[in-house]
Amino acid sequence: QVQLVESGGGLVQPGGSLRLSCAASGSISRSNAMGWHRQAPGKQRELVAIITSGGNKHYVDSVKGRFTISRDNAKNTVYLQMNSLKPEDTAVYYCILSQMGNDYWGQGTQVTVSS
């Protein structure tokens, strides 16, 4: 089994920054992808950013240039540095780990961008 624990959400003003962390534990494959999805009220969950164990990254267009995903393979931890936050970034952010055909999800952390 795999467990994911997220941290770092909160309330921030427009233009501000937050850093999300997600630590994975359990049966972690050396080959996997870790990343973040988000779900805003009344909207479908969407992929925000993902990074493979080899370091390949992908971002949704709306966050390119503002968000940076990174990972520490030794700690099985993925990070999402979010800069220049906008009100439309408000959502619950979910960590995901994909390996061997399975997806594992964190419990979600709320990010609210508001003045």
Side-chain angles (χ1 to χ4, degrees):
Q1 274 292 3
V2 173
Q3 296 80 40
L4 301 174
V5 178
E6 300 141 336
S7 60
L11 172 65
V12 64
Q13 292 187 341
S17 298
L18 283 174
R19 188 192 195 208
L20 305 182
S21 301
C22 173
S25 61
S27 301
I28 310 298
S29 169
R30 294 185 67 178
S31 177
N32 61 59
M34 296 186 73
W36 298 89
H37 285 64
R38 67 185 179 187
Q39 187 165 20
K43 295 187 177 181
Q44 289 188 330
R45 190 175 297 191
E46 65 170 351
L47 171 67
V48 177
I50 197 159
I51 182 170
T52 68
S53 48
N56 293 315
K57 304 175 185 180
H58 172 78
Y59 298 92
V60 69
D61 286 346
S62 60
V63 308
K64 286 179 180 178
R66 300 188 297 121
F67 291 10
T68 302
I69 192 168
S70 61
R71 63 186 289 165
D72 184 333
N73 288 336
K75 297 181 179 179
N76 291 318
T77 299
V78 64
Y79 306 95
L80 186 67
Q81 178 66 43
M82 304 185 294
N83 298 329
S84 302
L85 282 160
K86 304 176 180 180
E88 52 263 43
D89 295 317
T90 296
V92 178
Y93 284 69
Y94 296 91
C95 177
I96 182 173
L97 184 150
S98 300
Q99 62 179 26
M100 296 183 289
N102 296 312
D103 292 334
Y104 302 90
W105 295 90
Q107 78 281 3
T109 185
Q110 178 70 46
V111 172
T112 302
V113 185
S114 174
S115 55

